[in-house]
Amino acid sequence: MTLSIGVKKSIDIALYLFLMLMGAVSIFITFAIVWVLLVDTVRFFTHPEGGGFPTSLIRFFTETQWTPTFYYKQIGIWPLVNGTFIIAFISMLISIPLGIVVAIYLSEYASWKVRETVKPWLDFLEAVPTVVYGYFALLFVTPILSKLLAPFGIYVEGMNALSPGIVIGIMILPYTASMIEDAFKGVPQYLREASYSLGASKLRTALFVVLPAAKSGVLSAYLLGFSRAIGETMVVAVAAGMYPQITANPLEPVQTITGYIVQVALGDLPFGSFEYLSIFAAGFMLFGITLILNSIAVYLKSKTVGY
Amino acid sequence: MEQGIEVRGELETRLKEFDIEGYTKGVKKRDKLFEILGLIATFLVLLFLFAIAVDLLIDGWVRIKDPNFYTSFPSRFPDQAGILSAWVGTVLVMAGAIFWAVLIGIPAGIYLEEYGGKGKIARIIEANISNLAAVPSIVYGLLALGIFVYRFEFGESILTAGLTLGLLMLPVVVVSTRESIRRIPRSIREAAYALGATRWETLFHHILPYSIGGILTGLIIAASRAIGETAPLITIGALTFIAFLPPAPWEDFIGMLKSPFTVLPIQMFNWVSRPQAAFHTNAAAAGFILLVIALLMNSIAFYLRFKVRRKYQW
């Protein structure tokens, strides 16, 4: 096929414009997310059922109950934030120590063969649908927990924060561990060799040479894991309950921001109603929290020392 | 002077007393211990995966082996309920999602890698995409609810669901497109340009054919994650009880796009949140099927990646 140079050139330009337009779509998406959340959050705070603009904002941050779907509406966000963070903290308790051990093992100890066999399975853990994890948390982990804790006289409720926390902790582990591994990979081999030549063991090299050299990458991996735990939805929607409350007890049912959005979305919600707007206000809070965490993580990653 | 000798003497005695063999043994022992600890930790994580699979298989076996389970609509009677509408919905929604992810994601990746260079626009888009990758999936659901469902008036339909999951797949597709294009050496492009090829000729005759394996791998991985996504679809108002099938796309395409739907993970969520244990059996069966689909897709991606690695070695 022969085309004249002019035609070829115009195809080139058309293609360039198409590709750039598609690239720019991602910017539109970001703007659309911010715009939708912002507009409906503003409408939430100006809605008469919340008490109008300044009042509703004050109520949002000072009340201690979250009941926008009830007849008597209270709109304090803290119970949801409390539920979200208690579960995210539990998951970090699991994933911080396990993540570093798995990452050090895979990057510094494991043979090529072990790594190549284990890695695809770890990747697969990320592809397991989260609702499956939810099933597992509700019908496998919770019964085991209540059996384990019963001899100590501790009663575990059917819905609680502990079991989704544990399951999310293991769920985000492959994600954090592989990012930590990447950070370790960025540490040049000669640093390790220098350490070995001074007589340091593998463990000492890993903990006192590789880890400090990769620390901003490791921190950023943990922050991204934490942000993912905060945004996790289905596990908590299935296993954490639907009871927004301020509590420090992980054995009680709680509700997270994401859990609330799911609960309301399952019902029939007319466009523009107070309930409809409340999930956008909650979503705005969620988006804000994760955006801050992600930005810190990206900043930390960019600070990684280049060797 | 005398002090110096004293110190030296003390050092010598301490060195003599120092059990260097014991010390090395201790170091080696700790090293070994950590290796075992690491192995156990990794093994624990894999055991967790195994436990999930076995738990689902045992709990759901009665329904997994029941052929009616795959050909029945959901029902109030747990032993008659099936996943017909759910898997049809999943297939249609995923087709839509893959369409949008290919339409937007691959060109965006090509733009960033081949055209954008180090320009300002490309840098902004790049930062944007890495940001989008970390946005919780339920926020995409809110975006779709606010924009596609109510402002564009697509309704709670297959079209909306496909668009939503397509956007969700976008970051992974863009990143994998870029990575597989980046692997192609400059010399290939220069050779094409030297023979008088235009940029699009170079792109379609060389860059895309060489990178298609890697792009496909990324696409499959992204799709395998999107298939299990539940939260954004619940948010846009996917129904949990659908006892009819959308019209066949070859008969009434628009009607199919506008049809209400349910998907496998939502059907599973519906069953697992019911109090009756009999429904939990159905949930386990649906979960096991989801797990098998995810495993299959990941194996295909793994195989493709392996093959591509062997085929093109620059």
Side-chain angles (χ1 to χ4, degrees):
Chain A
M1 186 172 64
T2 42
L3 297 168
S4 75
I5 300 224
V7 175
K8 280 191 173 185
K9 271 195 175 156
S10 31
I11 294 181
D12 232 25
I13 291 169
L15 188 71
Y16 175 75
L17 288 178
F18 171 71
L19 294 177
M20 190 161 92
L21 185 70
M22 290 303 146
V25 166
S26 77
I27 296 181
F28 293 139
I29 298 172
T30 311
F31 273 118
I33 289 177
V34 174
W35 182 73
V36 158
L37 290 178
L38 210 60
V39 164
D40 284 348
T41 303
V42 166
R43 285 169 66 199
F44 173 78
F45 283 119
T46 50
H47 201 282
E49 282 185 67
F53 169 56
T55 333
S56 60
L57 197 64
I58 295 166
R59 287 180 67 196
F60 194 68
F61 288 111
T62 53
E63 286 184 342
T64 55
Q65 297 275 322
W66 176 259
T67 55
T69 52
F70 291 7
Y71 177 72
Y72 178 64
K73 295 179 195 316
Q74 286 201 291
I75 50 167
I77 192 69
W78 300 118
L80 293 185
V81 173
N82 178 87
T84 305
F85 274 89
I86 202 170
I87 289 180
F89 275 128
I90 294 169
S91 71
M92 288 322 273
L93 283 183
I94 302 274
S95 109
I96 287 182
L98 263 181
I100 202 83
V101 169
V102 169
I104 290 182
Y105 173 71
L106 284 180
S107 124
E108 308 293 315
Y109 282 84
S111 65
W112 185 82
K113 219 174 160 184
V114 172
R115 198 163 38 224
E116 288 294 296
T117 3
V118 167
K119 284 285 285 194
W121 290 103
L122 287 185
D123 287 345
F124 176 54
L125 263 168
E126 275 191 66
V128 173
T130 52
V131 61
V132 169
Y133 284 113
Y135 175 93
F136 191 71
L138 179 68
L139 296 170
F140 190 88
V141 177
T142 300
I144 286 185
L145 280 178
S146 65
K147 247 179 231 155
L148 278 180
L149 294 176
F152 304 103
I154 303 172
Y155 175 67
V156 181
E157 305 226 22
M159 299 283 188
N160 58 67
L162 185 58
S163 101
I166 293 172
V167 170
I168 294 176
I170 301 181
M171 190 184 102
I172 59 175
L173 191 121
Y175 178 68
T176 42
S178 75
M179 278 191 293
I180 296 174
E181 226 198 306
D182 285 344
F184 283 174
K185 243 181 238 158
V187 177
Q189 197 60 26
Y190 61 72
L191 281 185
R192 295 188 182 87
E193 278 158 7
S195 168
Y196 293 146
S197 73
L198 287 171
S201 66
K202 258 190 181 176
L203 184 59
R204 189 165 264 274
T205 307
L207 290 182
F208 297 101
V209 177
V210 180
L211 190 58
K215 70 169 184 281
S216 52
V218 173
L219 259 178
S220 126
Y222 281 143
L223 280 176
L224 285 174
F226 189 55
S227 149
R228 184 171 271 208
I230 284 174
E232 172 44 44
T233 309
M234 292 323 291
V235 181
V236 295
V238 171
M242 290 183 175
Y243 187 65
Q245 60 167 335
I246 296 180
T247 174
N249 183 0
L251 300 175
E252 284 179 24
V254 294
Q255 187 165 48
T256 64
I257 298 176
T258 54
Y260 172 74
I261 296 174
V262 164
Q263 187 202 347
V264 172
L266 279 172
D268 191 27
L269 64 170
F271 179 63
S273 65
F274 192 62
E275 289 82 354
Y276 171 87
L277 295 173
S278 73
I279 65 175
F280 284 88
F284 190 71
M285 193 78 186
L286 174 72
F287 182 69
I289 295 172
T290 53
L291 187 69
I292 291 169
L293 286 172
N294 298 340
S295 309
I296 300 174
V298 169
Y299 170 73
L300 278 176
K301 212 185 236 170
S302 72
K303 284 247 309 201
T304 311
V305 192
Y307 288 95
Chain B
M1 212 40 198
E2 238 165 64
Q3 219 178 3
I5 292 171
E6 226 170 71
V7 169
R8 204 176 148 193
E10 202 192 313
L11 266 179
E12 271 173 4
T13 44
R14 276 173 81 181
L15 203 63
K16 264 179 212 151
E17 281 166 13
F18 182 68
D19 177 14
I20 197 146
E21 256 175 49
Y23 176 76
T24 346
K25 253 186 205 158
V27 166
K28 280 194 175 157
K29 205 168 144 194
R30 256 172 289 161
D31 231 27
K32 199 78 206 158
L33 266 178
F34 188 84
E35 185 167 4
I36 293 169
L37 182 73
L39 196 65
I40 291 174
T42 314
F43 182 71
L44 258 179
V45 178
L46 297 182
L47 185 76
F48 180 77
L49 178 64
F50 186 69
I52 292 178
V54 170
D55 182 42
L56 289 176
L57 185 64
I58 293 175
D59 289 357
W61 179 242
V62 199
R63 299 316 313 275
I64 293 170
K65 68 177 167 116
D66 179 7
N68 289 331
F69 185 61
Y70 304 91
T71 54
S72 320
F73 287 112
S75 150
R76 327 189 251 119
F77 306 106
D79 51 337
Q80 286 170 22
I83 53 169
L84 179 62
S85 49
W87 71 255
V88 171
T90 290
V91 169
L92 293 174
V93 167
M94 283 318 294
I98 290 172
F99 172 77
W100 294 110
V102 168
L103 181 73
I104 304 171
I106 296 180
I110 295 172
Y111 171 74
L112 287 179
E113 199 59 36
E114 288 288 303
Y115 292 81
K118 298 243 180 297
K120 208 170 182 185
I121 302 176
R123 269 220 311 275
I124 294 173
I125 295 176
E126 201 178 338
N128 225 301
I129 285 172
S130 61
N131 244 326
L132 282 180
V135 170
S137 65
I138 196 161
V139 172
Y140 283 89
L142 290 175
L143 163 78
L145 179 68
I147 291 202
F148 301 142
V149 175
Y150 286 117
R151 292 192 172 83
F152 290 176
E153 298 187 342
F154 291 159
E156 295 146 359
S157 62
I158 291 180
L159 174 65
T160 307
L163 261 168
T164 313
L165 292 189
L167 296 188
L168 207 59
M169 284 167 65
L170 211 58
V172 179
V173 176
V174 172
V175 168
S176 69
T177 305
R178 294 191 62 178
E179 274 173 5
S180 40
I181 290 182
R182 197 177 304 153
R183 233 173 272 140
I184 302 169
R186 267 204 79 75
S187 53
I188 298 279
R189 299 174 180 95
E190 278 160 5
Y193 294 146
L195 290 172
T198 54
R199 295 195 87 156
W200 60 270
E201 281 170 327
T202 315
L203 187 64
F204 282 103
H205 297 172
H206 298 282
I207 309 282
L208 275 180
Y210 303 152
S211 58
I212 196 73
I215 295 176
L216 268 181
T217 310
L219 191 66
I220 295 171
I221 295 221
S224 86
R225 288 187 196 161
I227 248 182
E229 276 297 345
T230 327
L233 297 186
I234 290 181
T235 312
I236 64 171
L239 298 175
T240 51
F241 189 91
I242 296 271
F244 57 88
L245 289 184
W250 50 87
E251 279 167 11
D252 180 7
F253 191 71
I254 305 290
M256 183 276 287
L257 285 182
K258 293 202 146 179
S259 164
F261 68 100
T262 190
V263 289
L264 267 173
I266 289 184
Q267 187 64 66
M268 177 179 178
F269 173 65
N270 176 250
W271 279 331
V272 78
S273 37
R274 290 189 194 206
Q276 302 97 318
F279 278 114
H280 293 167
T281 311
N282 289 353
F288 188 75
I289 292 160
L290 276 171
L291 208 60
V292 171
I293 296 174
L295 181 63
L296 273 179
M297 293 178 79
N298 273 267
S299 321
I300 296 172
F302 182 70
Y303 172 75
L304 262 177
R305 188 183 294 156
F306 177 73
K307 266 204 86 159
V308 171
R309 234 195 255 170
R310 301 253 317 248
K311 192 169 172 194
Y312 294 114
Q313 280 175 344
W314 307 109

